[in-house]
Amino acid sequence: MGQEIYFDNNATTRLLPEVFDAMVPYLTELYGNPSSIHRFGSQVAQKIQEAREQVAALLGASDPVEIVFTSCGTEGDNAAIRGLLEAQPEKRHIVTTRVEHPAVFGLCQHLEKKGYRVSWLGVDSDGILDLNELKDALADDTALVSIMYANNETGVIFPIEAIGQIVKAKGIPFHVDAVQVAGKLPINLRKSVVDLLTVSGHKFHGPKGIGALYSKRDLTFRPFIIGGHQERNRRAGTENVAGIVGMGKAAEMALKHLKEDAGKVRNLRDQLEAFLRESCPECRVNGHRTERLPNTLNVSFKFLEGESILVLLDEYGICASTGSACTAGSVEPSHVLRAMAVPADWLQGAVRFSLSRFNTEKEVRFVSEKMPSIVQRLQGLSALGKLGDKTESQNEEHRMANRIGARR
Ligand code: PLP
C-alpha cells in the first residue's frame, strides 16, 4: 500500500501528520475524563475548549459555545433535524432537496413514513435549485428547512445565504449540511442567517468518528442524545477527546491553508477535466461548471458503467468513486444524477474524482493517460449492445458482462 493515487477525497481524506501528533497524547498519557474535577481531567477539558475555538474559527462563528461536538456528520444532521422537530411538535412539515446526502435524505424519508409532510425541492440539469420553488414550499407549519451547502457527488454549491434570507423571512429555522464545504471554501457564520450547520472532521484531514454541529446562540437546542451533562447538555456521552483534539487541529490547518489549497486543487481539477473532455469524446461533466467545489469532478461516460471504470482504475492504483461513499457497492443509479435528469445513456457511467492538496500534476497526468484506454476497453465490451436500446433485463445482462469483463 502507499502507492495509491487518491482521488476520493469527498469520501474521506488523509489524516495530517500534525493532527496525528496532536492526538497522540490524548490516546496515551493524558487519558483523564474532561468531566472530572481533578487537574488530570480539567486539563483535558481545557484542550477541548481550545479545539472548540479552532472549529469556531474555521466556521467564522461568533462564539465557540455555538460548537457542539458530535460523532460524525450523520449525527450532526440527525441532531439538527430531530432537535428542531422536537422543539416544535405542532409543526409537521419539512423542506429539503432531492439531492441531499443520505444522512438527510434517508432521515427525511423515514420521517415522511412517520407522518411528516416533506417537500422535496428539485434541481435543474446543472444541479441548481429554483428559489421560487422554495418560496412556494414554505408553509405555516414548516418546522425547518434543511439544505446542503455543496453536493457530495457533483460538488454543486447552493446559494446558502440567499436561501437563508427566504427561509428566515418566514421565521423558519434553517439547517445546512456543510460537510463537503468546511475546509474547502470560507464559511462566515458570524454574518450568516444559518441557525444550524453540520461539519465532519474526516472530510478536512481530521480523524474519522468526530463531527461538530454549529447551533446559533439564540436557538433553543433540543439534544438528540440524552444522558449526561457533556457539551452543556446538548450532546451526552463522554467526549471522544483525541478525536476532538484532532478535529480542532485539522480545523486550524484548514483555515491556514484554505485559499492556497483551493487554488491549487481547482487548477488540478480543471486540468483533469480539460484532458478528459478532449481525450474521451463520449463524456460529459455533471454539475454546474462554476458553482462547484474546486476539488470535485463528476463525469459520465456514455453507455459505460461507473463501477467497471472504477475496477479498471483500481488496477492502476487509482482510487475514485461512483458517487457518495455510502452508495458504493450498489448498482442503483445515483439519486442526485436522477434528480438532475441525466439521460439514461449517461446515468450509470458516472465517476467522481475528488481531489485534495496532496494530489499532484503528475498524478493528474497519470489518470489522464490511463482513462482513454480504460474507456476504449469498456467500449469494446459495450459492443454487446447499447444501453437504452434494450429491455431492462437485457440492460442488466449487458452491465454484468461489463463488470465481469472489467475484472479480467
Ligand atoms: N453530509 C454530506 C454532504 C456528506 O458528504 C457526508 C459524508 O460523505 C455526510 C453528510 C456524512 O458524514 P459522516 O461520514 O461524517 O457521517
Side-chain angles (χ1 to χ4, degrees):
M1 295 306 281
Q3 293 306 307
E4 63 277 353
I5 296 178
Y6 191 73
F7 281 90
D8 200 12
N9 288 279
N10 285 7
T12 197
T13 56
R14 178 198 291 202
L15 193 83
L16 289 174
E18 294 86 343
V19 170
F20 178 75
D21 290 345
M23 291 171 71
V24 168
Y26 297 90
L27 291 164
T28 51
E29 69 266 29
L30 298 176
Y31 56 84
N33 187 323
S35 297
S36 301
I37 302 289
H38 49 69
R39 240 179 294 175
F40 195 53
S42 60
Q43 65 179 344
V44 175
Q46 266 170 33
K47 191 70 186 173
I48 290 181
Q49 182 53 20
E50 188 186 317
R52 206 181 300 286
E53 286 163 16
Q54 289 163 319
V55 173
L58 178 66
L59 304 183
S62 44
D63 192 337
V65 83
E66 297 177 313
I67 305 301
V68 182
F69 286 109
T70 60
S71 68
C72 59
T74 302
E75 185 191 318
D77 287 339
N78 271 263
I81 294 172
R82 288 174 180 273
L84 288 171
L85 293 177
E86 191 170 320
Q88 312 162 88
E90 71 294 353
K91 300 200 170 173
R92 308 284 297 171
H93 179 230
I94 299 165
V95 178
T96 189
T97 79
R98 293 191 186 281
V99 296
E100 296 299 308
H101 182 273
V104 170
F105 197 88
L107 172 62
C108 290
Q109 279 180 320
H110 170 79
L111 292 165
E112 205 170 26
K113 284 193 200 120
K114 294 271 171 199
Y116 285 92
R117 264 169 35 252
V118 179
S119 294
W120 299 94
L121 306 178
V123 293
D124 68 12
S125 58
D126 280 335
I128 301 288
L129 278 177
D130 174 356
L131 298 195
N132 286 322
E133 195 189 345
L134 166 69
K135 277 184 202 151
D136 293 344
L138 303 178
D140 289 344
D141 69 337
T142 305
L144 68 112
V145 174
S146 181
I147 293 185
M148 69 196 328
Y149 203 148
N151 189 272
N152 45 300
E153 295 189 30
T154 60
V156 171
I157 299 166
F158 288 149
I160 283 308
E161 290 310 318
I163 293 170
Q165 296 293 347
I166 296 169
V167 175
K168 297 310 295 177
K170 297 268 184 188
I172 298 167
F174 183 33
H175 167 247
V176 171
D177 175 341
V179 167
Q180 289 297 343
V181 173
K184 293 180 186 142
L185 297 176
I187 300 179
N188 191 355
L189 289 171
R190 205 175 282 114
K191 294 199 178 142
S192 171
V193 291
V194 171
D195 294 305
L196 290 153
L197 181 135
T198 302
V199 296
S200 176
H202 72 106
K203 304 289 185 179
F204 53 91
H205 305 290
K208 294 171 185 60
I210 186 71
L213 179 62
Y214 160 87
S215 170
K216 213 179 216 22
R217 225 184 160 160
D218 52 10
L219 192 84
T220 313
F221 192 91
R222 296 293 165 104
F224 170 51
I225 295 183
I226 296 169
H229 300 300
Q230 292 88 353
E231 295 295 284
R232 294 179 178 236
N233 296 314
R234 295 172 300 178
R235 201 278 185 184
T238 300
E239 297 85 342
N240 170 4
V241 177
I244 291 173
V245 171
M247 185 172 179
K249 188 70 188 172
E252 182 194 297
M253 302 290 291
L255 187 58
K256 203 161 142 191
H257 297 285
L258 197 81
K259 235 176 151 182
E260 175 196 330
D261 284 356
K264 177 192 161 176
V265 160
R266 184 188 301 278
N267 199 5
L268 291 175
R269 190 272 314 267
D270 289 349
Q271 281 179 33
L272 181 62
E273 180 172 329
F275 188 87
L276 293 181
R277 278 181 185 280
E278 198 187 296
S279 63
C280 307
E282 294 210 293
C283 84
R284 56 170 266 165
V285 172
N286 299 313
H288 197 276
R289 294 296 295 281
T290 53
E291 295 305 309
R292 199 170 32 143
L293 290 173
N295 79 320
T296 307
L297 172 62
N298 187 309
V299 57
S300 278
F301 297 88
K302 200 173 185 185
F303 297 130
L304 300 186
E305 197 176 83
E307 271 209 336
S308 311
I309 298 171
L310 294 191
V311 170
L312 296 190
L313 283 170
D314 191 48
E315 284 182 5
Y316 295 110
I318 302 164
C319 310
S321 163
T322 50
S324 91
C326 310
T327 53
S330 138
V331 285
E332 275 288 295
S334 141
H335 70 287
V336 175
L337 300 186
R338 260 210 254 225
M340 290 163 65
V342 169
D345 293 349
W346 303 89
L347 200 53
Q348 298 278 357
V351 176
R352 178 187 71 184
F353 296 96
S354 49
L355 286 68
S356 82
R357 66 151 115 160
F358 290 110
N359 291 118
T360 62
E361 269 191 42
K362 198 171 157 202
E363 289 178 334
V364 166
R365 273 201 305 277
F366 184 76
V367 177
S368 301
E369 278 160 26
K370 298 299 171 207
M371 268 318 285
S373 62
I374 289 175
V375 169
Q376 274 162 23
R377 198 169 144 193
L378 293 171
Q379 275 169 342
L381 290 164
S382 177
L384 281 169
K386 302 265 187 249
L387 284 176
D389 298 343
K390 299 182 152 198
T391 64
E392 205 26 61
S393 72
Q394 284 171 319
N395 280 341
E396 189 47 36
E397 253 172 54
H398 160 83
R399 286 185 204 116
M400 282 303 292
N402 223 337
R403 248 174 271 147
I404 294 161
R407 286 196 182 275
R408 281 192 202 121

